């Protein structure tokens, strides 16, 4: 038996905003959509879906909705991570500093989408 991960579902308040963010900044392709309720994007061999969070979980304050999660989405980047991150920051995407670790052949950069979901951009280095 082989088991593989084919889709990750993330619950959110603004499904349209999440769809727009990932399509605009990462060029993910739209696969399915139920307006303002459900979106599926192609992310290489995996899909990422955004599902409207239940009304019981939404705080109706004026503050933007922010998720509280212990998950991180990791996306491989096959080009210059420094240049890609600079372009994202110019567009207002929240990113942390690029980092690396001794003995680990990757550059890494964490960021957040509009609802606070943490993602990591990863570029494999060719020198090891």
């Amino acid at each position: 038996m082989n088991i593989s991960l084919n889709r990750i579902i993330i619950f959110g308040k603004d499904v349209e905003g999440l769809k727009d963010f990932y399509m605009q900044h990462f060029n993910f392709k739209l696969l399915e959509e139920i307006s303002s309720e459900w979106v599926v994007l192609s992310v290489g061999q995996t899909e990422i879906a955004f599902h409207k969070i239940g009304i019981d979980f939404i705080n109706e304050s004026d503050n933007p909705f922010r998720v509280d999660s212990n998950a991180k989405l990791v996306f491989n980047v096959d080009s210059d991570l420094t240049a890609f991150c600079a372009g994202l920051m110019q567009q207002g995407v929240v990113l942390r500093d690029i980092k690396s670790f001794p003995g680990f052949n990757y550059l890494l950069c964490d960021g957040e989408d509009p609802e606070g979901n943490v993602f990591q951009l990863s570029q494999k280095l060719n020198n090891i």
Side-chain angles (χ1 to χ4, degrees), residues 32-45:
E32 298 174 23
E33 182 172 20
I34 300 171
S35 184
S36 300
E37 294 291 327
W38 173 256
V39 169
V40 180
L41 302 175
S42 174
V43 184
Q45 295 180 0

Side-chain angles (χ1 to χ4, degrees), residues 13 15 25 32 36 54 82-84 95 99 102 104 107 109-110:
K13 182 177 180 183
V15 171
H25 299 297
E32 298 174 23
S36 300
T82 302
F84 184 63
L95 294 176
K99 59 187 175 188
F104 189 62
L107 290 177
C109 183
D110 289 354

Side-chain angles (χ1 to χ4, degrees), residues 18-33:
L18 291 167
K19 174 190 82 171
D20 293 345
F21 177 84
Y22 285 97
M23 288 181 70
Q24 175 186 351
H25 299 297
F26 299 144
N27 203 30
F28 296 158
K29 304 297 180 218
L30 181 65
L31 297 177
E32 298 174 23
E33 182 172 20

